[in-house]
Amino acid sequence: MASEASINQAGIRVDLQLIADMIQPATRVLDIGCGDGALLDYLVHFKQVDGRGMELSQAGVNACVAQGLSVIQGDADIDLANYPSDAFDYAVLSQTLQATHNPLAVLRQLTRIGRRAIVSFPNFGHWRVRWHLGAMGRMPVTPTLPSSWYDTPNIHLCTIRDFFGLCRSSDIAIERAIAIDAKGNARPIRSLQLANLLGEQGLFLLKGQS
């Protein structure tokens, strides 16, 4: 999760604003793992999207419904299979991929359901994570990986380089790739080596399957 310093003037996290900027107004959006509905609420009110959400936690669903958002309780590993192909213009999975049991299967569902898929995740290849492991010999705790190893929801940590490799080997097209640093600065990924070292988060726009 991004730090409070990464909240923008619109009141949402910088990474969520970057996702919103990728989405065209008046489109159909499914936000999977939508949490308290911050992104979905922004999209509905500022970009006039036809927005739907799926959230695993009942507390998150309740928070979304209280805001008037159309959100159901569901598990990305199981329930995405119930949606028809091309049901949405965008399927969004923000900071959730690493908590799924089968990331590749989830990615395939995203690119089936949405004409475009937007995915973000914490980058386990960041230099601070590498330093902590190398110098301290312990699993790191950082702003994007805030939980201790024994109570983290993250079960499939990956790096930006790993994600590129997965998409390449699985014939998933990457249309845009962005690395986000600790201050919320976003840069297009031109050097995979530098992005993997300096980016705390990766953000990708993927092309849906035809």
Side-chain angles (χ1 to χ4, degrees):
M1 181 176 292
S3 66
E4 291 184 2
S6 296
I7 303 295
N8 68 9
Q9 293 181 349
I12 62 173
R13 298 195 320 257
V14 170
D15 60 309
L16 296 183
Q17 181 66 65
L18 291 166
I19 291 173
D21 291 344
M22 291 182 173
I23 294 175
Q24 294 296 315
T27 51
R28 298 165 296 159
V29 177
L30 176 63
D31 187 3
I32 301 115
C34 59
D36 62 4
L39 174 62
L40 196 57
D41 183 71
Y42 179 89
L43 291 172
V44 168
H45 290 96
F46 289 92
K47 306 204 83 167
Q48 292 75 50
V49 306
D50 179 3
R52 302 287 186 271
M54 175 191 292
E55 169 58 29
L56 183 61
S57 74
Q58 187 61 57
V61 174
N62 293 344
C64 292
V65 172
Q67 300 176 69
L69 300 173
S70 179
V71 174
I72 62 171
Q73 189 170 25
D75 185 335
D77 280 300
I78 299 170
D79 297 316
L80 292 179
N82 296 325
Y83 288 89
S85 299
D86 293 333
F88 296 90
D89 297 299
Y90 301 91
V92 178
L93 191 74
S94 170
Q95 302 295 315
T96 303
L97 183 67
Q98 71 280 359
T100 62
H101 288 277
N102 192 332
L104 178 55
V106 170
L107 282 176
R108 292 197 184 284
Q109 291 290 359
L110 291 176
T111 54
R112 180 187 64 81
I113 293 167
R115 299 179 185 278
R116 298 290 188 281
I118 301 175
V119 177
S120 68
F121 54 86
N123 173 33
F124 203 67
H126 186 261
W127 71 265
R128 188 176 287 111
V129 175
R130 301 188 198 193
W131 178 87
H132 200 286
L133 277 170
M136 308 298 291
R138 301 183 65 180
M139 295 298 290
V141 176
T142 71
T144 52
L145 296 166
S147 302
S148 297
W149 67 269
Y150 54 85
D151 63 357
T152 178
N154 301 324
I155 56 177
H156 282 112
L157 294 170
C158 72
T159 70
I160 287 174
R161 186 185 291 273
D162 285 329
F163 190 80
F164 265 91
L166 177 63
C167 290
R168 187 179 300 116
S169 65
S170 305
D171 294 323
I172 297 173
I174 298 175
E175 291 195 336
R176 290 184 63 187
I178 295 172
I180 307 170
D181 68 18
K183 296 181 179 179
N185 298 314
R187 293 180 176 85
I189 295 177
R190 296 188 175 91
S191 166
L192 185 54
Q193 182 175 356
L194 284 177
N196 204 43
L197 187 65
L198 302 178
E200 283 206 347
Q201 300 178 63
L203 173 59
F204 294 84
L205 177 67
L206 309 175
K207 178 69 169 64
Q209 299 170 356
S210 58

